[in-house]
Amino acid sequence: MPTMMVAGNWKMNASTTATAELLEGLNAGVASLPKNTQMVVFPPLPYLAQAQQMLQNSSIVLGAQNVSEQAKGAFTGEVSASMLQDFGVRYVLVGHSERRSLYAESDALVAAKFQAVQAADMVPVLCIGETLGQREQDETLAVVNAQVQAVIDAAGVDALACAVVAYEPVWAIGTGLTASPEQAQAVHAAIRAHVASQNSAVAEGLQILYGGSVSGATAEELFAQADIDGGLVGGASLSAQSFLAIGQAAK
Ligand code: 13P
């Protein structure tokens, strides 16, 4: 059972050509990653079928960046969890800071999406993180714990047994600023302690990823921290070479 996850969130960057090139490169290199490492890619929705096909005989797992909280029906433009499942998706991001801030996704909506993903037998990757202003006001732990608690209140703490958490400080996303390993570890430990206060076994087994400008240069020290179980990578996941270099750091 892999204990480290290296997840690539492509965001709104892809084409059929780029998808083919990137997945060919990752397929060629994935066997050289440490044995305990699971690689997951999150392409934009229109490329899921192409990715599913290209990952048929691969150890790389497919994820999706977003999902509707609704099961089916008259919701023009939305995509349901069962549709994602139909295309071989195993992990779905919920609550990414770009969805929260640019598309006004509330804690309640994020919790509903989290539950929709689990209802379709997939694993939600719950993204949480503070803004720079919140960090400067010393609100980091209160903010991330409240984001986790909103899901626990809706779904129950046991639901976290089949979920992944990704701590992504908003100020570190796409900025080139990475939380220091000590800063990240402190938040990860606090999240785990918050969950442990409600269910220690669930907390112990919970995979908590770090995201925010992770690169080949920063990954090794981040991944060496006791409570960091991998990374959610944006920009550096768009090239096979840089994403594989991050995977190599996941020992
Ligand atoms: P960057 O790695 O580009 O900072 O993006 C992080 C992220 O938002 C992954 O979900």
Side-chain angles (χ1 to χ4, degrees):
M1 165 80 182
T3 53
M4 296 294 280
M5 180 185 294
V6 178
N9 174 10
W10 299 1
K11 307 192 179 181
M12 200 168 74
N13 302 290
S15 65
T16 47
T17 310
T19 299
E21 222 174 274
L22 179 49
L23 293 181
E24 270 165 29
L26 294 177
N27 276 338
V30 69
S32 69
L33 295 190
K35 288 288 164 265
N36 63 340
T37 304
Q38 175 74 72
M39 180 170 270
V40 189
V41 292
F42 295 79
L45 296 175
Y47 301 95
L48 286 179
Q50 183 188 1
Q52 179 189 28
Q53 208 263 328
M54 289 195 67
L55 297 178
Q56 249 171 22
N57 300 309
S58 173
S59 64
I60 301 169
V61 169
L62 191 55
Q65 298 173 22
N66 190 26
V67 66
S68 173
E69 78 282 14
Q70 304 289 346
K72 64 185 285 199
F75 301 100
T76 300
E78 293 292 288
V79 171
S80 72
S82 64
M83 293 172 189
L84 298 178
Q85 214 257 0
D86 203 14
F87 281 86
V89 167
R90 296 238 309 261
Y91 292 92
V92 185
L93 302 183
V94 298
H96 192 281
S97 69
E98 287 150 19
R99 302 289 324 166
R100 291 180 191 263
S101 67
L102 302 173
Y103 300 95
E105 291 196 3
S106 64
D107 276 344
L109 180 59
V110 172
K113 290 186 174 197
F114 180 103
Q115 291 180 281
V117 171
Q118 288 193 331
D121 290 329
M122 298 178 294
V123 178
V125 179
L126 172 65
C127 304
I128 57 175
E130 83 288 3
T131 64
L132 185 57
Q134 289 165 334
R135 175 163 283 265
E136 286 171 350
Q137 295 296 310
D138 227 0
E139 293 168 0
T140 298
L141 300 185
V143 167
V144 297
N145 286 338
Q147 288 170 332
V148 171
Q149 193 59 40
V151 168
I152 294 176
D153 288 344
V157 68
D158 291 350
L160 288 180
C162 299
V164 174
V165 169
Y167 167 56
E168 300 200 294
V170 177
W171 49 271
I173 294 177
T175 58
L177 294 174
T178 313
S180 69
E182 296 72 25
Q183 279 175 323
Q185 165 59 23
V187 178
H188 282 229
I191 295 164
R192 203 180 298 284
H194 181 78
V195 176
S197 71
Q198 298 165 80
N199 186 320
S200 56
V202 168
E204 206 174 305
L206 184 62
Q207 256 182 333
I208 309 178
L209 313 182
Y210 169 79
S213 298
V214 176
S215 69
T218 57
E220 191 164 341
E221 234 191 309
L222 284 163
F223 295 168
Q225 304 301 310
D227 289 290
I228 299 185
D229 307 305
L232 180 54
V233 184
S237 73
L238 295 173
S239 118
Q241 195 190 10
S242 57
F243 195 40
L244 287 166
I246 290 169
Q248 292 293 350
K251 295 209 184 65

